[in-house]
Amino acid sequence: ADGASAPTITVDLVDEDGTHTNAGSKQIAVNNVAPTIVLAGANSVDEGATYTLTLGAVTDPGTDTVSGYVVNWGDGSSDNYIGAGNVTHIYADGVGDISRTITVDLVDEDGTHSGAGSKNITVNDVTAPTIIHLGDASGIATTLNPYVWAPFWTDAAVDISHKANYANAGEAWTPVNLSALGSATLPGGDLYAGDLGVSGKNLATSTISQELSGAEALRFDLDNAATQVTVDLVRFYLDDDANVFNYNEAGRLQALDAQGNVVAEAIFVADSAGGAKTVTLDHGDGFSAVVLTAGAYNGNNFVFGAYANDAGAFAAAPYNDGKLHGSDFLLDSIEFEMAPIIGVNPVPVP
């Protein structure tokens, strides 16, 4: 029934004179047979993701009882468990796809049985997403150096353009001017203190000409698809101008596909008296451009430059009480997480 043991077989003979015990004997060795275990799980896993291994049925011809499971994950680490079932592990970052052999040792009354089960898997190399970050400009612009902030807003894979009236389909998108001079007209300087907006005073709700206001729009076109965009806004105020109506500045961030169709959208409302706001928009299928505008939805109608209330709903269209009021803001930075290019192996950076 169980080994290891060394039993002695004896034979008694029976004849007319009775039973003759131990008429012959033979000693034998009963060898212990190590238990085996069934392992189940996926054949591959991405680095950094959770891999689940199922510790399944144990087979042992002897009468031993397994009391411990030692899982060797194949990357130099191991874990001990007292029962079967699902166990998990996370494989660290590596270079290229890596083959790993998981082995399981079983512990019973006879000791530890190494390699009672094994499973080969592949740990897939996952390339970190490419990040494009624009903004966070520093330095002091002068008439001799009006483009001091331009390098912070320049990337070969991104084209930045603007319109005075986003609702006007006949108006062409034109390149932004990454200087701080001549902000009174649309082709003028679009940067104020390093932050990007739209020059031209489409709707002069601010003393700062570059603030994106009214129907003005900023557009970023990408050479390759992105899956996420994050914008950091400034001069985007809760209770704008401290007006008695508690109107909050509001805006919209749209993601466009290669044909110019809106595939995702985020609306946002100021929630800080300090004027800072971070907005993130995700679209897993990818997008080719984003557009920023100021305003809020009144039902299904987007009202450019409109205010929102504390609940984020439409509060008021731009109005004039001796001074023109409406939503406006500047862009301090924008960051894109680019979609992986399927089928292309990235070249390692030395």
Side-chain angles (χ1 to χ4, degrees):
D2 193 30
S5 63
T8 298
I9 303 170
T10 62
V11 175
D12 302 338
L13 295 179
V14 181
D15 62 11
E16 301 90 333
D17 296 318
T19 298
H20 308 279
T21 60
N22 200 19
S25 66
K26 180 174 179 61
Q27 190 173 50
I28 65 168
V30 178
N31 301 317
N32 181 61
V33 177
T36 59
I37 185 171
V38 175
L39 303 180
N43 293 326
S44 65
V45 65
D46 292 340
E47 60 189 12
T50 299
Y51 180 78
T52 300
L53 177 72
T54 301
L55 304 176
V58 172
T59 299
D60 191 340
T63 57
D64 301 307
T65 301
V66 172
S67 58
Y69 302 75
V70 182
V71 179
N72 307 291
W73 294 104
D75 59 358
S77 65
S78 62
D79 290 304
N80 296 287
Y81 304 94
I82 60 173
N86 291 339
V87 295
T88 61
H89 184 66
I90 295 177
Y91 289 93
D93 187 24
V95 178
D97 295 345
I98 300 175
S99 296
R100 299 292 189 190
T101 299
I102 304 171
T103 62
V104 175
D105 305 336
L106 296 177
V107 181
D108 62 15
E109 297 90 336
D110 296 314
T112 299
H113 308 280
S114 300
S118 65
K119 181 171 180 59
N120 295 320
I121 67 167
T122 299
V123 179
N124 302 318
D125 185 26
V126 179
T127 304
T130 299
I131 302 296
I132 296 177
H133 186 92
L134 299 174
D136 295 319
S138 61
I140 299 175
T142 65
T143 54
L144 295 178
N145 189 13
Y147 292 96
V148 65
W149 298 311
F152 296 92
W153 287 100
T154 302
D155 189 285
V158 184
D159 293 319
I160 312 175
S161 57
H162 54 16
K163 291 178 71 169
N165 185 354
Y166 186 38
N168 181 5
E171 180 189 354
W173 292 95
T174 54
V176 299
N177 187 333
L178 297 177
S179 80
L181 302 179
S183 59
T185 62
L186 185 67
D190 293 303
L191 290 169
Y192 175 82
D195 300 319
L196 182 62
V198 176
S199 59
K201 295 186 178 180
N202 171 265
L203 187 67
T205 56
S206 170
T207 57
I208 297 171
S209 300
Q210 292 91 342
E211 282 204 71
L212 193 156
S213 62
E216 296 170 349
L218 264 178
R219 176 169 175 148
F220 297 80
D221 284 277
L222 309 170
D223 285 355
N224 298 304
T227 56
Q228 182 185 88
V229 58
T230 298
V231 296
D232 285 324
L233 309 177
V234 292
R235 301 189 62 82
F236 188 61
Y237 295 114
L238 177 75
D239 299 336
D240 185 42
D241 293 332
N243 64 58
V244 296
F245 303 110
N246 297 321
Y247 292 158
N248 306 313
E249 294 189 308
R252 179 177 67 178
L253 175 62
Q254 295 175 309
L256 283 58
D257 64 14
Q259 289 72 46
N261 303 308
V262 176
V263 294
E265 180 176 287
I267 56 174
F268 47 89
V269 178
D271 52 16
S272 167
K277 179 77 172 182
T278 297
V279 182
T280 297
L281 179 62
D282 292 284
H283 185 64
D285 291 335
F287 52 86
S288 298
V290 296
V291 175
L292 265 173
T293 46
Y297 275 102
N298 185 5
N300 294 324
N301 180 40
F302 188 79
V303 180
F304 292 103
Y307 284 121
N309 59 26
D310 291 342
F314 178 82
Y319 66 94
N320 195 329
D321 61 358
K323 173 187 175 182
L324 192 59
H325 297 266
S327 292
D328 46 48
F329 54 83
L330 288 168
L331 184 61
D332 184 63
S333 69
I334 186 168
E335 182 172 286
F336 297 97
E337 182 173 308
M338 309 308 292
I341 302 176
I342 306 301
V344 176
N345 293 321
V347 178
V349 178

